[in-house]
Amino acid sequence: MTPASPNRLVVLTGADGRLGSKLAFRVAAAGGQQRLLVSGRGVAPRLPNGAPLPEAQVLTTPSDADTRALTRAFAGAYAVFLVPSPERPGRLGKHRAAIDAAVLAGVRHVVYVSSVGAGPDAIASAARDDWLTEEYLRGTDLTWTMLRTAMFHRTLAFAVHDESSGRHTALLRAPAGEGRVASVSHDDVADVATAVLLDENRRRHAGRTYLLTGPEALSFDEIAASLAAAAGRTIQYVPQTVEQARALFYRSTATEVEDWITQCQAIEAGVLEDVTSDVGHLAGREAQSLDVWLDDYPAEWAHLRLPSVR
């Protein structure tokens, strides 16, 4: 565990999300000072000692791009961990407001969670937004570090749907063709973020872009096989067209559907198939494979199991 400086306050945005809550746990375990910004949509993190942070250190993120409110939230912070907004339109405005607030508050270091494949012409819609956010951050005097993450293991588990014609069969449907993806765990990203945020040597990560992937690139057939072995049932991969994907995820928001489809298209194009060593280098251990994640977090994919027969 990276030891924390007692004199450095870090602010974690999205602290009630899956990634932010894991990071909050790790910062607390290292003895770090932190202020948590929560969206109100998730569950507040459980810290290792069971004691809640002082009320002043848990704040609700402003619902709009309010730079003044964010400046107050960032006051006194050495570093800010910035997660992308799940909302669009307005996503870029929120990111820029947060970066402006970090400048005004005198923050020294911003760690931004970006996407593998981020670029001006990225296939994935979220990766294009991430690129624009990265460019805005690069244009400031802030020290920055980009954590470009692959698709999360958990996302793959929630792409499985029961086949209506067969109770024992489930289908992993995605418009990803024969592409491969080096998916990553939330634990890996949280461990890397902890190492970067709490490092006493700020220059070590200044201006660095890390690519955070799992230890192997799997096809969707191989992913379905791993999920099937864990769940004890038949799960098959069925490639989709874009139109089929939109029809299947009609209950999701337009942004969620677009992000999912375009990320799958990026996988089909080979954008997310490269495996890197950045997790191992920064976390000090090998990245979690999909199979290891399935063993460690059965509650995360419990919906894949067949209901008990009475």
Side-chain angles (χ1 to χ4, degrees):
M1 176 67 69
T2 304
S5 169
N7 302 316
R8 289 185 175 181
L9 172 69
V10 298
V11 175
L12 310 186
T13 68
D16 52 344
R18 193 163 303 277
L19 177 58
S21 62
K22 286 179 178 289
L23 178 56
F25 181 96
R26 286 158 170 78
V27 172
Q33 293 190 62
Q34 59 184 322
R35 181 178 299 145
L36 308 183
L37 295 190
V38 298
S39 67
R41 292 185 295 268
V43 178
R46 295 181 179 180
L47 302 184
N49 58 9
L53 286 172
E55 185 175 348
Q57 297 300 86
V58 182
L59 305 174
T60 301
T61 306
S63 58
D64 56 3
D66 188 340
T67 299
R68 285 189 296 178
L70 285 168
T71 301
R72 292 192 295 271
F74 294 165
Y78 173 81
V80 169
F81 178 74
L82 182 59
V83 297
S85 170
E87 301 171 0
R88 196 171 60 207
R91 178 187 288 172
L92 288 174
K94 292 177 184 292
H95 296 175
R96 289 168 177 166
I99 293 168
D100 290 344
V103 172
L104 292 171
V107 170
R108 302 287 297 278
H109 189 189
V110 171
V111 178
Y112 178 63
V113 181
S114 186
S115 304
V116 168
D121 301 315
I123 297 172
S125 55
R128 293 193 295 272
D129 287 348
D130 284 332
W131 170 257
L132 293 172
T133 301
E134 288 184 1
E135 286 292 277
Y136 194 78
L137 184 51
R138 291 187 186 99
T140 71
D141 292 330
L142 293 162
T143 296
W144 52 263
T145 306
M146 313 299 184
L147 305 183
R148 291 186 178 179
T149 67
M151 180 179 281
F152 287 109
H153 295 328
R154 186 175 184 272
T155 302
L156 296 168
F158 276 84
V160 175
H161 300 267
D162 284 330
E163 170 63 17
S164 59
S165 62
R167 182 173 172 275
H168 293 281
T169 300
L171 301 179
L172 171 59
R173 297 181 183 269
E178 300 302 316
R180 307 180 76 87
V181 56
S183 58
V184 70
S185 74
H186 286 84
D187 282 334
D188 288 340
V189 179
D191 282 344
V192 167
T194 302
V196 172
L197 284 166
L198 301 186
D199 197 324
E200 290 290 324
N201 184 355
R202 182 166 61 103
R203 296 181 179 179
R204 195 191 319 272
H205 307 290
R208 299 292 300 274
T209 297
Y210 297 118
L211 304 180
L212 308 184
T213 75
E216 57 190 350
L218 300 176
S219 69
F220 274 66
D221 282 321
E222 291 168 333
I223 292 165
S226 288
L227 296 174
R233 65 183 302 193
T234 300
I235 298 177
Q236 298 173 342
Y237 169 52
V238 177
Q240 288 179 305
T241 65
V242 169
E243 292 73 20
Q244 288 170 334
R246 287 202 176 99
L248 182 64
F249 289 97
Y250 69 95
R251 292 183 180 176
S252 302
T253 67
T255 297
E256 290 170 339
V257 173
E258 184 68 14
D259 285 349
W260 165 251
I261 289 174
T262 56
Q263 192 172 35
C264 287
Q265 290 174 323
I267 291 171
E268 183 176 22
V271 175
L272 280 76
E273 67 181 10
D274 290 340
V275 174
T276 75
S277 60
D278 284 352
V279 168
H281 173 69
L282 292 161
R285 58 166 179 76
E286 184 179 357
Q288 286 182 324
S289 67
L290 176 62
D291 285 338
V292 169
W293 178 83
L294 289 167
D295 285 341
D296 289 349
Y297 291 100
E300 296 277 20
W301 50 268
H303 62 284
L304 300 181
R305 293 193 179 99
L306 287 169
S308 301
V309 178
R310 295 183 179 180

